[in-house]
Amino acid sequence: QVQLVESGGGVVQPGRSLRLSCAASGFTFSSYGMHWVRQAPGKGLEWVAVISYDGSNKYYADSVKGRFTISRDNSKNTLYLQVSSLRAEDTAVYYCAKAEGYCSSTSCHVYFFDYWGHGTLVTVSS
Amino acid sequence: QSALTQPASVSGSPGQSITISCTGTSSDIGGYNYVSWYQHHPGKAPKLIIYDVSKRPSGVSNRFSGSKSGNTASLTISGLQAEDEADYYCRSYTLSASLGFGRGTKLTVL
């Protein structure tokens, strides 16, 4: 069955960096676009970033553009999110999610997110 | 897609039916049959419960059903159970490239 397992979260000071990972299994990882979605305490789900199946297209929410970098290693069935220049408002549980959709040269579009991981908590605090 | 409007909260008693609405525009919900709904218990992975407006993934209870009329989609939960208490999010495909979700609805089972 499909499994997505995030790791790499923790407590980090403002301005510092972390790399989050998402290990995927149970499906052909290299065939699907993958996403990061986060939930801050007391808030709803916020889409963060997407990477196309082959890594050629990457798009970000305005709130993280220029600070976060999404990547993937299809040989390791692993998705990454490098989170840098962290701010207090980046404190959240970060989920990776598999989606049915497609990417073009200008954007990605999602029909639905069919599988999610349990998330990894990032706490930005001095 | 913060433009998708959901009620902040709904409640119902065990055995009852409840409906959660999700209102968008002709550019999202009204324009495509790609509305999806997600159930999220705090501390757990969000779960897809409805896709393509009214389809249920394998393993999802038939107590969950989805529909759409114009620019508004709806999630109905029948035979309410304590385990249904969770947050519910809607989203819709759109060509605007917005990948966000509705603001979420907290369901309380009384």
Side-chain angles (χ1 to χ4, degrees):
Chain A
Q1 74 279 22
V2 173
Q3 280 198 309
L4 298 170
V5 180
E6 302 93 337
S7 61
V11 180
V12 60
Q13 294 179 327
R16 305 296 290 267
S17 301
L18 278 178
R19 189 175 81 158
L20 309 182
S21 299
C22 170
S25 61
F27 66 103
T28 306
F29 181 72
S30 59
S31 295
Y32 291 92
M34 295 294 295
H35 299 249
W36 288 97
V37 177
R38 69 184 180 182
Q39 184 179 37
K43 303 291 187 180
L45 297 174
E46 178 190 16
W47 174 80
V48 174
V50 57
I51 185 168
S52 58
Y53 70 99
D54 61 355
S56 62
N57 295 294
K58 305 174 185 181
Y59 302 101
Y60 301 90
D62 288 343
S63 57
V64 307
K65 203 171 294 183
R67 300 187 300 119
F68 289 12
T69 302
I70 190 171
S71 62
R72 65 191 299 161
D73 186 335
N74 285 345
S75 68
K76 295 182 178 178
N77 288 349
T78 302
L79 174 72
Y80 302 101
L81 185 69
Q82 179 74 34
V83 296
S84 304
S85 302
L86 283 163
R87 308 166 180 167
E89 55 264 36
D90 295 319
T91 294
V93 177
Y94 286 74
Y95 300 97
C96 66
K98 171 183 172 291
E100 290 287 346
Y102 63 95
C103 289
S104 67
S105 59
T106 56
S107 61
C108 285
H109 302 276
V110 171
Y111 297 119
F112 52 87
F113 296 91
D114 51 356
Y115 294 97
W116 301 67
H118 281 78
T120 187
L121 175 62
V122 174
T123 302
V124 183
S125 174
S126 54
Chain B
Q1 270 178 359
S2 59
L4 291 181
T5 302
Q6 298 180 233
S9 64
V10 298
S11 62
S13 299
Q16 288 185 330
S17 294
I18 63 95
T19 296
I20 299 172
S21 61
C22 174
T23 302
T25 69
S26 58
S27 296
D28 39 64
I29 291 176
Y32 309 96
N33 289 322
Y34 294 121
V35 177
S36 53
W37 289 89
Y38 305 85
Q39 178 191 60
H40 189 203
H41 289 102
K44 295 194 172 183
K47 178 184 178 182
L48 175 69
I49 54 173
I50 294 289
Y51 68 101
D52 293 357
V53 178
S54 61
K55 297 178 181 177
R56 280 188 308 275
S58 175
V60 173
S61 171
N62 60 8
R63 298 186 300 103
F64 294 91
S65 62
S67 62
K68 187 187 87 166
S69 177
N71 297 336
T72 299
S74 299
L75 171 71
T76 298
I77 308 174
S78 59
L80 209 56
Q81 299 178 1
E83 66 206 48
D84 298 331
E85 184 162 296
D87 297 318
Y88 292 84
Y89 296 87
C90 65
R91 75 171 303 281
S92 172
Y93 172 92
T94 173
L95 281 179
S96 73
S98 173
L99 291 165
F101 298 82
R103 296 186 187 279
T105 298
K106 181 177 179 59
L107 169 62
T108 300
V109 180
L110 302 171

